[in-house]
Amino acid sequence: MTTSRLLPQPREAAVLAAVLGLLVLEEIALGLAEEEDRPVIGGILIGASCSGLLVVGAVLFSRWLDARRPLPLPPPGPNGREYSARALEGFPMEAVRPLLLTEHAPQLGQLYSAWMLARTGRTASWIARRLDLPVEAVQLLVDAARTHTDPRPLPEA
């Protein structure tokens, strides 16, 4: 597992930071409250803390579901799963070629898969995380997929 898979995404990090900030503010409010108001404020804060834990749980559960969602595959051909010429129309081979010549180069099949996912509207960070590819390489494919105009879009898997 790469470190990019371990780090939270910006939206997730914002949610987790908001929950942590809420917990800190709750402790400050409880410390500043009058003695007779503390049981009521404590009950309210326990409810807020539980809702914060539910939000964190929902974020973690959505990541877990996202990691287990199957990737769309090309249809089977005579030699196994193959990509059709139509599906690979617009693939930026000239821009990708330098990536294939690097020391830890991604496999061409991985880049084809990334292209297919980019054509279905996936983000570069999502594709890079799922296929364990460098985000820069995938961003190149996502940008090319956005500019590629095909009157017949690929069906969602």
Side-chain angles (χ1 to χ4, degrees):
M1 182 177 278
T2 63
T3 56
S4 66
R5 290 185 184 183
L6 298 175
L7 298 175
Q9 298 302 306
R11 283 186 295 181
E12 295 169 347
V15 167
L16 296 176
V19 169
L20 289 175
L22 178 65
L23 291 174
V24 170
L25 289 175
E26 290 173 359
E27 290 300 318
I28 292 171
L30 191 58
L32 296 175
E34 298 290 327
E35 189 67 37
E36 62 272 359
D37 295 334
R38 284 187 182 174
V40 174
I41 293 174
I44 293 169
L45 296 180
I46 287 173
S49 296
C50 289
S51 64
L53 288 174
L54 286 174
V55 167
V56 170
V59 167
L60 294 175
F61 184 68
S62 71
R63 287 189 84 176
W64 181 79
L65 283 178
D66 190 39
R68 278 144 188 82
R69 189 171 297 128
L71 294 173
L73 294 173
N79 300 320
R81 297 208 176 265
E82 297 174 350
Y83 294 98
S84 70
R86 179 174 121 27
L88 294 176
E89 282 179 4
F91 182 78
M93 190 56 167
E94 293 305 316
V96 166
R97 193 177 314 277
L99 297 173
L100 297 173
L101 302 175
T102 61
E103 184 178 337
H104 299 289
Q107 295 178 1
L108 187 57
Q110 282 181 302
L111 295 174
Y112 285 160
S113 297
W115 172 252
M116 300 295 288
L117 293 169
R119 295 265 320 264
T120 61
R122 297 291 184 177
T123 63
S125 61
W126 187 90
I127 297 169
R129 219 175 42 245
R130 292 298 297 268
L131 298 179
D132 199 21
L133 289 170
V135 178
E136 298 79 22
V138 177
Q139 188 63 51
L140 180 105
L141 296 173
V142 168
D143 292 342
R146 280 191 197 128
T147 60
H148 177 69
T149 54
D150 187 355
R152 303 161 295 169
L154 293 175
E156 286 290 326

